[in-house]
Amino acid sequence: MARYLYKAKKSDGSIVSSRINASSVIEAAGFLEQRGLIILEIVEDTTVSSHLSAGQIRKTSVFSMTEKKSFINSFYALYKSGLSVIEIFQSMYNSSRNANIKALCSQILYKVEKGISLKEAMKKSSNALGVAYTTLIAAGETSGTLDDVLYNIKKNIEREEDTKKRLISACVYPIVLITFVLFVGLFFYFGLNKIFTEIYTLSFNERISILVSAALKSLGIIILIEGIIFYLVKSKILVNRILNSQLFYNFLKNSYYGNYFSIMGLAYDAGIPALESYSLALTVISGQDDRYKLKKVEKLIENGSKLTTAFAVTGLFSDFALTQISSGETSGELGKMYKSISEDYFSRLEQATTVFTSSLGPILMFIVAICVAIIGVQGYNSYFSGITSF
């Protein structure tokens, strides 16, 4: 069953346009003629929502950073080309291979074609992009600045992704080194230790067999350990524990504060009211203590306090941030100042990551040296115990 768009003339001469469901264009034309209509035009409705009911549209999951980037980049490029909202999401639905992006596009298309505005359609699907970005897009559409909003969101996501890549690359070296040391230790325990202990009683073939068995056992244990870690990361059990730990939060607080002021700057440019922008930016802060302190900012501003005073009371932000807020409050260029503060915090994060990476090498080498020393001592003892027993 397909849906067809038609334009027809009634017996009184008036023109009517609507849709009709039929198995073919001939069948659709027959239905219309039976109603006494004179067909002027009839074509198949090829929009995504014409083939979907509300029950068929898949619910969207929370987007990954890559999915957010792909969605916003496509949205921005198509919007710049002058396409209508329906044409944009129709094109994104047809061209994307990502199930989550297709699901979000189908949801928005279905709602927009039902007469719901893009603003409301986006808000109803806010779990995908997150409340902050969804609200910013809705505000941009309302204020007529969607072009600028999409561009700023695009740049912000690219910066977030770049920060994430730097942190991941900083963790690759220690993971590889620890895995290597673990393998060597296990290989020695299962293989070399036994060979040294019975060095004069084992044949060449028996030694090879022991070494192969030790290598397989070591690999099996490492794969099991990494499989468990992968499962915990995938299920977000381990990730949530790490992210909620105070040590990790202290290391990444520059990233959280950078995102906080970045959202504030985007909200200011999109014309979102001040108090609403504070609540919006608060969604990117995960630390409970920081969230509690930042909620006080809204109350202080509601009670007539100056921005600089309200932010200073929290004790969270640097002197540079407070100076910029004071300057923006005086000059009326808060949006510009928020972005400047955001850049400063991301610069601080980059410096902290560089220090962490540079100091990690010597620490890991010291740990490796201790492990090698332990293995050497155990090998020496095993070898001489084998000679003694012989």
Side-chain angles (χ1 to χ4, degrees), residues 159 163 166 251-262 285 294 311 314-325 337-353:
R159 183 169 57 184
T163 301
R166 283 203 305 270
F251 179 74
L252 281 185
K253 66 181 180 181
N254 286 320
S255 175
Y256 293 123
Y257 294 165
N259 280 328
Y260 177 82
F261 283 107
S262 178
I285 300 292
L294 288 171
F311 278 107
T314 64
L316 298 175
F317 304 115
S318 64
D319 291 340
F320 174 82
L322 296 177
T323 301
Q324 292 293 95
I325 292 171
M337 297 306 168
Y338 286 148
K339 291 176 184 177
S340 177
I341 297 169
S342 176
E343 292 292 340
D344 179 65
Y345 275 116
F346 277 113
S347 176
R348 289 167 182 259
L349 175 65
E350 188 173 351
Q351 291 173 6
T353 305

mmCIF file of all heavy atoms in Angstrom, residues 159 163 166 251-262 285 294 311 314-325 337-353:
data_model
loop_
_atom_site.group_PDB
_atom_site.id
_atom_site.type_symbol
_atom_site.label_atom_id
_atom_site.label_comp_id
_atom_site.label_asym_id
_atom_site.label_seq_id
_atom_site.Cartn_x
_atom_site.Cartn_y
_atom_site.Cartn_z
ATOM 1 N N ARG A 159 35.581 20.346 18.732
ATOM 2 C CA ARG A 159 36.539 20.587 19.818
ATOM 3 C C ARG A 159 36.418 19.499 20.894
ATOM 4 O O ARG A 159 37.428 19.013 21.410
ATOM 5 C CB ARG A 159 36.289 21.964 20.441
ATOM 6 C CG ARG A 159 37.298 22.319 21.529
ATOM 7 C CD ARG A 159 37.185 23.765 21.937
ATOM 8 N NE ARG A 159 35.845 24.095 22.383
ATOM 9 C CZ ARG A 159 35.459 25.323 22.721
ATOM 10 N NH1 ARG A 159 36.314 26.317 22.644
ATOM 11 N NH2 ARG A 159 34.222 25.562 23.113
ATOM 12 N N THR A 163 39.355 16.858 21.985
ATOM 13 C CA THR A 163 39.750 16.655 23.382
ATOM 14 C C THR A 163 39.687 15.184 23.749
ATOM 15 O O THR A 163 40.603 14.637 24.392
ATOM 16 C CB THR A 163 38.824 17.460 24.317
ATOM 17 O OG1 THR A 163 38.907 18.850 23.992
ATOM 18 C CG2 THR A 163 39.224 17.262 25.769
ATOM 19 N N ARG A 166 42.607 13.244 22.224
ATOM 20 C CA ARG A 166 43.869 13.482 22.928
ATOM 21 C C ARG A 166 43.951 12.654 24.204
ATOM 22 O O ARG A 166 45.000 12.105 24.536
ATOM 23 C CB ARG A 166 44.024 14.968 23.253
ATOM 24 C CG ARG A 166 44.424 15.822 22.072
ATOM 25 C CD ARG A 166 45.105 17.114 22.532
ATOM 26 N NE ARG A 166 44.270 17.851 23.450
ATOM 27 C CZ ARG A 166 43.384 18.776 23.085
ATOM 28 N NH1 ARG A 166 43.231 19.058 21.798
ATOM 29 N NH2 ARG A 166 42.671 19.417 23.975
ATOM 30 N N PHE A 251 40.706 15.991 37.342
ATOM 31 C CA PHE A 251 41.566 16.062 36.166
ATOM 32 C C PHE A 251 40.826 16.679 34.979
ATOM 33 O O PHE A 251 41.405 17.448 34.201
ATOM 34 C CB PHE A 251 42.062 14.656 35.797
ATOM 35 C CG PHE A 251 42.938 14.630 34.572
ATOM 36 C CD1 PHE A 251 44.243 15.088 34.623
ATOM 37 C CD2 PHE A 251 42.443 14.167 33.367
ATOM 38 C CE1 PHE A 251 45.051 15.077 33.489
ATOM 39 C CE2 PHE A 251 43.234 14.147 32.228
ATOM 40 C CZ PHE A 251 44.548 14.599 32.298
ATOM 41 N N LEU A 252 39.524 16.337 34.845
ATOM 42 C CA LEU A 252 38.764 16.778 33.677
ATOM 43 C C LEU A 252 37.879 18.004 33.938
ATOM 44 O O LEU A 252 37.089 18.368 33.079
ATOM 45 C CB LEU A 252 37.875 15.632 33.168
ATOM 46 C CG LEU A 252 38.550 14.557 32.322
ATOM 47 C CD1 LEU A 252 37.524 13.581 31.802
ATOM 48 C CD2 LEU A 252 39.319 15.159 31.165
ATOM 49 N N LYS A 253 38.002 18.612 35.093
ATOM 50 C CA LYS A 253 37.101 19.730 35.392
ATOM 51 C C LYS A 253 37.282 20.892 34.418
ATOM 52 O O LYS A 253 36.320 21.631 34.149
ATOM 53 C CB LYS A 253 37.278 20.203 36.836
ATOM 54 C CG LYS A 253 38.620 20.832 37.158
ATOM 55 C CD LYS A 253 38.647 21.235 38.630
ATOM 56 C CE LYS A 253 39.988 21.869 38.992
ATOM 57 N NZ LYS A 253 40.035 22.243 40.428
ATOM 58 N N ASN A 254 38.498 21.055 33.879
ATOM 59 C CA ASN A 254 38.697 22.108 32.874
ATOM 60 C C ASN A 254 37.845 21.852 31.633
ATOM 61 O O ASN A 254 37.349 22.788 31.000
ATOM 62 C CB ASN A 254 40.173 22.182 32.475
ATOM 63 C CG ASN A 254 41.036 22.808 33.554
ATOM 64 O OD1 ASN A 254 40.627 23.776 34.191
ATOM 65 N ND2 ASN A 254 42.208 22.254 33.789
ATOM 66 N N SER A 255 37.668 20.555 31.295
ATOM 67 C CA SER A 255 36.817 20.203 30.156
ATOM 68 C C SER A 255 35.350 20.528 30.461
ATOM 69 O O SER A 255 34.638 21.093 29.622
ATOM 70 C CB SER A 255 36.966 18.714 29.832
ATOM 71 O OG SER A 255 36.071 18.331 28.819
ATOM 72 N N TYR A 256 34.919 20.180 31.672
ATOM 73 C CA TYR A 256 33.531 20.455 32.063
ATOM 74 C C TYR A 256 33.256 21.960 32.096
ATOM 75 O O TYR A 256 32.229 22.427 31.595
ATOM 76 C CB TYR A 256 33.221 19.840 33.439
ATOM 77 C CG TYR A 256 33.231 18.336 33.449
ATOM 78 C CD1 TYR A 256 34.073 17.633 34.303
ATOM 79 C CD2 TYR A 256 32.411 17.611 32.598
ATOM 80 C CE1 TYR A 256 34.091 16.235 34.310
ATOM 81 C CE2 TYR A 256 32.415 16.214 32.606
ATOM 82 C CZ TYR A 256 33.262 15.550 33.464
ATOM 83 O OH TYR A 256 33.275 14.183 33.465
ATOM 84 N N TYR A 257 34.183 22.722 32.673
ATOM 85 C CA TYR A 257 33.997 24.171 32.751
ATOM 86 C C TYR A 257 34.059 24.800 31.358
ATOM 87 O O TYR A 257 33.328 25.749 31.054
ATOM 88 C CB TYR A 257 35.073 24.802 33.645
ATOM 89 C CG TYR A 257 34.999 24.399 35.107
ATOM 90 C CD1 TYR A 257 36.072 24.623 35.974
ATOM 91 C CD2 TYR A 257 33.857 23.787 35.616
ATOM 92 C CE1 TYR A 257 36.006 24.243 37.310
ATOM 93 C CE2 TYR A 257 33.792 23.408 36.952
ATOM 94 C CZ TYR A 257 34.870 23.639 37.783
ATOM 95 O OH TYR A 257 34.802 23.264 39.113
ATOM 96 N N GLY A 258 34.955 24.257 30.499
ATOM 97 C CA GLY A 258 35.031 24.752 29.130
ATOM 98 C C GLY A 258 33.720 24.536 28.387
ATOM 99 O O GLY A 258 33.225 25.441 27.696
ATOM 100 N N ASN A 259 33.137 23.334 28.536
ATOM 101 C CA ASN A 259 31.837 23.051 27.904
ATOM 102 C C ASN A 259 30.735 23.923 28.493
ATOM 103 O O ASN A 259 29.821 24.362 27.776
ATOM 104 C CB ASN A 259 31.479 21.572 28.080
ATOM 105 C CG ASN A 259 32.190 20.683 27.084
ATOM 106 O OD1 ASN A 259 32.455 21.092 25.958
ATOM 107 N ND2 ASN A 259 32.510 19.474 27.486
ATOM 108 N N TYR A 260 30.809 24.141 29.800
ATOM 109 C CA TYR A 260 29.794 24.952 30.483
ATOM 110 C C TYR A 260 29.731 26.353 29.873
ATOM 111 O O TYR A 260 28.666 26.835 29.481
ATOM 112 C CB TYR A 260 30.132 25.025 31.975
ATOM 113 C CG TYR A 260 29.206 25.891 32.797
ATOM 114 C CD1 TYR A 260 27.993 25.396 33.260
ATOM 115 C CD2 TYR A 260 29.555 27.202 33.128
ATOM 116 C CE1 TYR A 260 27.141 26.186 34.027
ATOM 117 C CE2 TYR A 260 28.720 27.995 33.891
ATOM 118 C CZ TYR A 260 27.512 27.480 34.343
ATOM 119 O OH TYR A 260 26.674 28.273 35.090
ATOM 120 N N PHE A 261 30.881 27.005 29.765
ATOM 121 C CA PHE A 261 30.902 28.373 29.222
ATOM 122 C C PHE A 261 30.687 28.391 27.709
ATOM 123 O O PHE A 261 30.188 29.367 27.165
ATOM 124 C CB PHE A 261 32.208 29.071 29.610
ATOM 125 C CG PHE A 261 32.233 29.538 31.032
ATOM 126 C CD1 PHE A 261 32.999 28.885 31.979
ATOM 127 C CD2 PHE A 261 31.460 30.624 31.425
ATOM 128 C CE1 PHE A 261 33.004 29.307 33.307
ATOM 129 C CE2 PHE A 261 31.466 31.065 32.747
ATOM 130 C CZ PHE A 261 32.237 30.397 33.692
ATOM 131 N N SER A 262 31.048 27.301 27.040
ATOM 132 C CA SER A 262 30.782 27.212 25.610
ATOM 133 C C SER A 262 29.270 27.193 25.350
ATOM 134 O O SER A 262 28.774 27.898 24.462
ATOM 135 C CB SER A 262 31.426 25.945 25.034
ATOM 136 O OG SER A 262 31.142 25.831 23.655
ATOM 137 N N ILE A 285 27.637 19.597 33.389
ATOM 138 C CA ILE A 285 28.432 19.448 34.619
ATOM 139 C C ILE A 285 27.987 18.172 35.323
ATOM 140 O O ILE A 285 26.813 18.001 35.643
ATOM 141 C CB ILE A 285 28.233 20.656 35.560
ATOM 142 C CG1 ILE A 285 28.673 21.953 34.876
ATOM 143 C CG2 ILE A 285 28.997 20.449 36.855
ATOM 144 C CD1 ILE A 285 30.154 22.069 34.616
ATOM 145 N N LEU A 294 26.606 25.708 41.379
ATOM 146 C CA LEU A 294 26.185 26.478 40.211
ATOM 147 C C LEU A 294 24.686 26.764 40.202
ATOM 148 O O LEU A 294 24.240 27.722 39.591
ATOM 149 C CB LEU A 294 26.591 25.737 38.931
ATOM 150 C CG LEU A 294 28.085 25.754 38.624
ATOM 151 C CD1 LEU A 294 28.430 24.825 37.482
ATOM 152 C CD2 LEU A 294 28.547 27.167 38.298
ATOM 153 N N PHE A 311 29.043 34.301 40.274
ATOM 154 C CA PHE A 311 30.018 33.276 39.889
ATOM 155 C C PHE A 311 31.187 33.225 40.868
ATOM 156 O O PHE A 311 31.751 32.153 41.111
ATOM 157 C CB PHE A 311 30.539 33.539 38.476
ATOM 158 C CG PHE A 311 29.623 33.046 37.396
ATOM 159 C CD1 PHE A 311 28.881 33.941 36.631
ATOM 160 C CD2 PHE A 311 29.490 31.693 37.143
ATOM 161 C CE1 PHE A 311 28.031 33.485 35.634
ATOM 162 C CE2 PHE A 311 28.643 31.229 36.150
ATOM 163 C CZ PHE A 311 27.908 32.127 35.386
ATOM 164 N N THR A 314 30.731 30.946 44.065
ATOM 165 C CA THR A 314 30.887 29.491 43.924
ATOM 166 C C THR A 314 32.307 29.033 44.266
ATOM 167 O O THR A 314 32.500 27.904 44.723
ATOM 168 C CB THR A 314 30.572 29.034 42.488
ATOM 169 O OG1 THR A 314 31.539 29.603 41.579
ATOM 170 C CG2 THR A 314 29.185 29.470 42.066
ATOM 171 N N GLY A 315 33.299 29.902 44.033
ATOM 172 C CA GLY A 315 34.685 29.532 44.290
ATOM 173 C C GLY A 315 35.228 28.502 43.309
ATOM 174 O O GLY A 315 36.268 27.890 43.555
ATOM 175 N N LEU A 316 34.553 28.306 42.178
ATOM 176 C CA LEU A 316 34.937 27.278 41.214
ATOM 177 C C LEU A 316 35.853 27.796 40.108
ATOM 178 O O LEU A 316 36.672 27.049 39.578
ATOM 179 C CB LEU A 316 33.691 26.662 40.569
ATOM 180 C CG LEU A 316 32.712 25.937 41.489
ATOM 181 C CD1 LEU A 316 31.484 25.491 40.692
ATOM 182 C CD2 LEU A 316 33.379 24.738 42.136
ATOM 183 N N PHE A 317 35.715 29.061 39.762
ATOM 184 C CA PHE A 317 36.316 29.540 38.522
ATOM 185 C C PHE A 317 37.572 30.387 38.755
ATOM 186 O O PHE A 317 37.752 30.982 39.811
ATOM 187 C CB PHE A 317 35.280 30.321 37.713
ATOM 188 C CG PHE A 317 34.042 29.510 37.430
ATOM 189 C CD1 PHE A 317 32.815 29.879 37.955
ATOM 190 C CD2 PHE A 317 34.123 28.360 36.656
ATOM 191 C CE1 PHE A 317 31.685 29.130 37.707
ATOM 192 C CE2 PHE A 317 32.994 27.598 36.401
ATOM 193 C CZ PHE A 317 31.768 27.978 36.932
ATOM 194 N N SER A 318 38.396 30.438 37.719
ATOM 195 C CA SER A 318 39.675 31.147 37.792
ATOM 196 C C SER A 318 39.474 32.663 37.800
ATOM 197 O O SER A 318 38.400 33.163 37.453
ATOM 198 C CB SER A 318 40.535 30.760 36.581
ATOM 199 O OG SER A 318 39.915 31.191 35.373
ATOM 200 N N ASP A 319 40.521 33.371 38.183
ATOM 201 C CA ASP A 319 40.477 34.843 38.166
ATOM 202 C C ASP A 319 40.250 35.361 36.751
ATOM 203 O O ASP A 319 39.557 36.366 36.558
ATOM 204 C CB ASP A 319 41.793 35.407 38.723
ATOM 205 C CG ASP A 319 41.948 35.154 40.210
ATOM 206 O OD1 ASP A 319 40.918 34.897 40.868
ATOM 207 O OD2 ASP A 319 43.091 35.209 40.705
ATOM 208 N N PHE A 320 40.846 34.658 35.767
ATOM 209 C CA PHE A 320 40.650 35.062 34.374
ATOM 210 C C PHE A 320 39.174 34.993 33.996
ATOM 211 O O PHE A 320 38.648 35.917 33.357
ATOM 212 C CB PHE A 320 41.468 34.148 33.446
ATOM 213 C CG PHE A 320 41.227 34.401 31.981
ATOM 214 C CD1 PHE A 320 41.877 35.436 31.323
ATOM 215 C CD2 PHE A 320 40.347 33.600 31.262
ATOM 216 C CE1 PHE A 320 41.656 35.672 29.976
ATOM 217 C CE2 PHE A 320 40.116 33.834 29.915
ATOM 218 C CZ PHE A 320 40.770 34.871 29.268
ATOM 219 N N ALA A 321 38.505 33.911 34.413
ATOM 220 C CA ALA A 321 37.082 33.751 34.083
ATOM 221 C C ALA A 321 36.249 34.864 34.719
ATOM 222 O O ALA A 321 35.378 35.455 34.060
ATOM 223 C CB ALA A 321 36.588 32.384 34.556
ATOM 224 N N LEU A 322 36.518 35.158 35.969
ATOM 225 C CA LEU A 322 35.741 36.195 36.663
ATOM 226 C C LEU A 322 35.998 37.575 36.054
ATOM 227 O O LEU A 322 35.077 38.390 35.940
ATOM 228 C CB LEU A 322 36.110 36.199 38.150
ATOM 229 C CG LEU A 322 35.757 34.915 38.925
ATOM 230 C CD1 LEU A 322 36.246 35.011 40.360
ATOM 231 C CD2 LEU A 322 34.250 34.671 38.904
ATOM 232 N N THR A 323 37.252 37.824 35.645
ATOM 233 C CA THR A 323 37.578 39.108 35.002
ATOM 234 C C THR A 323 36.835 39.250 33.678
ATOM 235 O O THR A 323 36.301 40.322 33.360
ATOM 236 C CB THR A 323 39.097 39.213 34.762
ATOM 237 O OG1 THR A 323 39.781 39.098 36.009
ATOM 238 C CG2 THR A 323 39.452 40.537 34.113
ATOM 239 N N GLN A 324 36.789 38.166 32.902
ATOM 240 C CA GLN A 324 36.098 38.185 31.615
ATOM 241 C C GLN A 324 34.590 38.381 31.784
ATOM 242 O O GLN A 324 33.952 39.111 31.028
ATOM 243 C CB GLN A 324 36.355 36.887 30.848
ATOM 244 C CG GLN A 324 37.786 36.697 30.382
ATOM 245 C CD GLN A 324 38.184 37.713 29.317
ATOM 246 O OE1 GLN A 324 38.767 38.755 29.623
ATOM 247 N NE2 GLN A 324 37.865 37.416 28.071
ATOM 248 N N ILE A 325 34.025 37.731 32.798
ATOM 249 C CA ILE A 325 32.589 37.890 33.068
ATOM 250 C C ILE A 325 32.291 39.335 33.450
ATOM 251 O O ILE A 325 31.305 39.932 32.992
ATOM 252 C CB ILE A 325 32.134 36.928 34.193
ATOM 253 C CG1 ILE A 325 32.204 35.479 33.703
ATOM 254 C CG2 ILE A 325 30.699 37.252 34.638
ATOM 255 C CD1 ILE A 325 31.998 34.449 34.781
ATOM 256 N N MET A 337 32.724 36.957 25.734
ATOM 257 C CA MET A 337 33.531 36.667 26.916
ATOM 258 C C MET A 337 33.374 35.212 27.361
ATOM 259 O O MET A 337 34.338 34.566 27.784
ATOM 260 C CB MET A 337 33.156 37.610 28.065
ATOM 261 C CG MET A 337 33.437 39.076 27.764
ATOM 262 S SD MET A 337 35.168 39.341 27.265
ATOM 263 C CE MET A 337 35.093 41.013 26.630
ATOM 264 N N TYR A 338 32.152 34.681 27.265
ATOM 265 C CA TYR A 338 31.926 33.268 27.607
ATOM 266 C C TYR A 338 32.784 32.366 26.726
ATOM 267 O O TYR A 338 33.378 31.394 27.196
ATOM 268 C CB TYR A 338 30.450 32.905 27.431
ATOM 269 C CG TYR A 338 29.539 33.449 28.509
ATOM 270 C CD1 TYR A 338 28.223 33.809 28.208
ATOM 271 C CD2 TYR A 338 29.958 33.566 29.824
ATOM 272 C CE1 TYR A 338 27.368 34.295 29.187
ATOM 273 C CE2 TYR A 338 29.118 34.050 30.815
ATOM 274 C CZ TYR A 338 27.818 34.418 30.486
ATOM 275 O OH TYR A 338 26.975 34.898 31.460
ATOM 276 N N LYS A 339 32.847 32.690 25.437
ATOM 277 C CA LYS A 339 33.646 31.882 24.509
ATOM 278 C C LYS A 339 35.130 32.006 24.828
ATOM 279 O O LYS A 339 35.884 31.025 24.716
ATOM 280 C CB LYS A 339 33.370 32.317 23.075
ATOM 281 C CG LYS A 339 31.963 31.964 22.596
ATOM 282 C CD LYS A 339 31.691 32.500 21.205
ATOM 283 C CE LYS A 339 30.252 32.209 20.789
ATOM 284 N NZ LYS A 339 29.941 32.785 19.455
ATOM 285 N N SER A 340 35.559 33.195 25.236
ATOM 286 C CA SER A 340 36.959 33.401 25.609
ATOM 287 C C SER A 340 37.312 32.564 26.836
ATOM 288 O O SER A 340 38.388 31.957 26.901
ATOM 289 C CB SER A 340 37.202 34.885 25.887
ATOM 290 O OG SER A 340 38.524 35.113 26.323
ATOM 291 N N ILE A 341 36.408 32.511 27.808
ATOM 292 C CA ILE A 341 36.627 31.701 29.016
ATOM 293 C C ILE A 341 36.701 30.223 28.650
ATOM 294 O O ILE A 341 37.537 29.480 29.156
ATOM 295 C CB ILE A 341 35.492 31.945 30.045
ATOM 296 C CG1 ILE A 341 35.505 33.394 30.510
ATOM 297 C CG2 ILE A 341 35.647 31.001 31.234
ATOM 298 C CD1 ILE A 341 34.277 33.793 31.318
ATOM 299 N N SER A 342 35.788 29.803 27.758
ATOM 300 C CA SER A 342 35.769 28.407 27.309
ATOM 301 C C SER A 342 37.102 28.018 26.682
ATOM 302 O O SER A 342 37.662 26.956 26.982
ATOM 303 C CB SER A 342 34.625 28.200 26.305
ATOM 304 O OG SER A 342 34.650 26.899 25.787
ATOM 305 N N GLU A 343 37.624 28.880 25.823
ATOM 306 C CA GLU A 343 38.906 28.610 25.175
ATOM 307 C C GLU A 343 40.034 28.494 26.207
ATOM 308 O O GLU A 343 40.931 27.657 26.073
ATOM 309 C CB GLU A 343 39.241 29.730 24.176
ATOM 310 C CG GLU A 343 38.336 29.784 22.961
ATOM 311 C CD GLU A 343 38.504 28.595 22.046
ATOM 312 O OE1 GLU A 343 39.556 27.912 22.132
ATOM 313 O OE2 GLU A 343 37.589 28.317 21.250
ATOM 314 N N ASP A 344 39.987 29.332 27.241
ATOM 315 C CA ASP A 344 41.010 29.302 28.284
ATOM 316 C C ASP A 344 40.992 27.973 29.032
ATOM 317 O O ASP A 344 42.053 27.398 29.297
ATOM 318 C CB ASP A 344 40.785 30.460 29.263
ATOM 319 C CG ASP A 344 41.806 30.462 30.393
ATOM 320 O OD1 ASP A 344 43.004 30.658 30.106
ATOM 321 O OD2 ASP A 344 41.403 30.248 31.555
ATOM 322 N N TYR A 345 39.785 27.474 29.358
ATOM 323 C CA TYR A 345 39.690 26.207 30.086
ATOM 324 C C TYR A 345 40.129 25.030 29.225
ATOM 325 O O TYR A 345 40.779 24.093 29.717
ATOM 326 C CB TYR A 345 38.262 25.993 30.603
ATOM 327 C CG TYR A 345 38.022 26.677 31.930
ATOM 328 C CD1 TYR A 345 37.096 27.708 32.051
ATOM 329 C CD2 TYR A 345 38.723 26.292 33.066
ATOM 330 C CE1 TYR A 345 36.881 28.347 33.262
ATOM 331 C CE2 TYR A 345 38.517 26.922 34.288
ATOM 332 C CZ TYR A 345 37.594 27.947 34.372
ATOM 333 O OH TYR A 345 37.398 28.573 35.583
ATOM 334 N N PHE A 346 39.804 25.046 27.942
ATOM 335 C CA PHE A 346 40.256 23.964 27.060
ATOM 336 C C PHE A 346 41.778 24.015 26.880
ATOM 337 O O PHE A 346 42.425 22.978 26.726
ATOM 338 C CB PHE A 346 39.546 24.040 25.711
ATOM 339 C CG PHE A 346 38.182 23.402 25.724
ATOM 340 C CD1 PHE A 346 37.035 24.161 25.563
ATOM 341 C CD2 PHE A 346 38.048 22.031 25.894
ATOM 342 C CE1 PHE A 346 35.784 23.580 25.596
ATOM 343 C CE2 PHE A 346 36.793 21.430 25.919
ATOM 344 C CZ PHE A 346 35.650 22.211 25.764
ATOM 345 N N SER A 347 42.349 25.216 26.902
ATOM 346 C CA SER A 347 43.800 25.352 26.836
ATOM 347 C C SER A 347 44.442 24.767 28.099
ATOM 348 O O SER A 347 45.487 24.099 28.028
ATOM 349 C CB SER A 347 44.170 26.831 26.687
ATOM 350 O OG SER A 347 45.563 27.008 26.709
ATOM 351 N N ARG A 348 43.813 25.014 29.247
ATOM 352 C CA ARG A 348 44.306 24.454 30.509
ATOM 353 C C ARG A 348 44.252 22.920 30.483
ATOM 354 O O ARG A 348 45.158 22.240 30.987
ATOM 355 C CB ARG A 348 43.474 24.968 31.682
ATOM 356 C CG ARG A 348 43.684 26.448 32.013
ATOM 357 C CD ARG A 348 42.596 26.931 32.957
ATOM 358 N NE ARG A 348 42.734 28.335 33.262
ATOM 359 C CZ ARG A 348 43.261 28.833 34.382
ATOM 360 N NH1 ARG A 348 43.710 28.000 35.311
ATOM 361 N NH2 ARG A 348 43.341 30.123 34.583
ATOM 362 N N LEU A 349 43.165 22.378 29.894
ATOM 363 C CA LEU A 349 43.023 20.925 29.795
ATOM 364 C C LEU A 349 44.133 20.333 28.925
ATOM 365 O O LEU A 349 44.713 19.302 29.262
ATOM 366 C CB LEU A 349 41.653 20.570 29.201
ATOM 367 C CG LEU A 349 41.415 19.077 28.932
ATOM 368 C CD1 LEU A 349 41.413 18.289 30.230
ATOM 369 C CD2 LEU A 349 40.100 18.864 28.177
ATOM 370 N N GLU A 350 44.433 21.003 27.832
ATOM 371 C CA GLU A 350 45.497 20.534 26.933
ATOM 372 C C GLU A 350 46.841 20.526 27.651
ATOM 373 O O GLU A 350 47.633 19.583 27.499
ATOM 374 C CB GLU A 350 45.547 21.428 25.694
ATOM 375 C CG GLU A 350 46.490 20.917 24.614
ATOM 376 C CD GLU A 350 46.384 21.718 23.333
ATOM 377 O OE1 GLU A 350 45.468 22.554 23.218
ATOM 378 O OE2 GLU A 350 47.245 21.505 22.456
ATOM 379 N N GLN A 351 47.097 21.557 28.440
ATOM 380 C CA GLN A 351 48.350 21.617 29.198
ATOM 381 C C GLN A 351 48.416 20.499 30.238
ATOM 382 O O GLN A 351 49.456 19.859 30.407
ATOM 383 C CB GLN A 351 48.475 22.974 29.876
ATOM 384 C CG GLN A 351 48.690 24.141 28.910
ATOM 385 C CD GLN A 351 48.636 25.493 29.604
ATOM 386 O OE1 GLN A 351 48.547 25.570 30.828
ATOM 387 N NE2 GLN A 351 48.685 26.560 28.826
ATOM 388 N N ALA A 352 47.283 20.257 30.920
ATOM 389 C CA ALA A 352 47.238 19.196 31.933
ATOM 390 C C ALA A 352 47.458 17.825 31.298
ATOM 391 O O ALA A 352 48.147 16.968 31.859
ATOM 392 C CB ALA A 352 45.892 19.227 32.657
ATOM 393 N N THR A 353 46.878 17.623 30.108
ATOM 394 C CA THR A 353 47.055 16.356 29.396
ATOM 395 C C THR A 353 48.503 16.157 28.985
ATOM 396 O O THR A 353 49.048 15.053 29.078
ATOM 397 C CB THR A 353 46.151 16.321 28.147
ATOM 398 O OG1 THR A 353 44.790 16.565 28.521
ATOM 399 C CG2 THR A 353 46.234 14.971 27.453
#
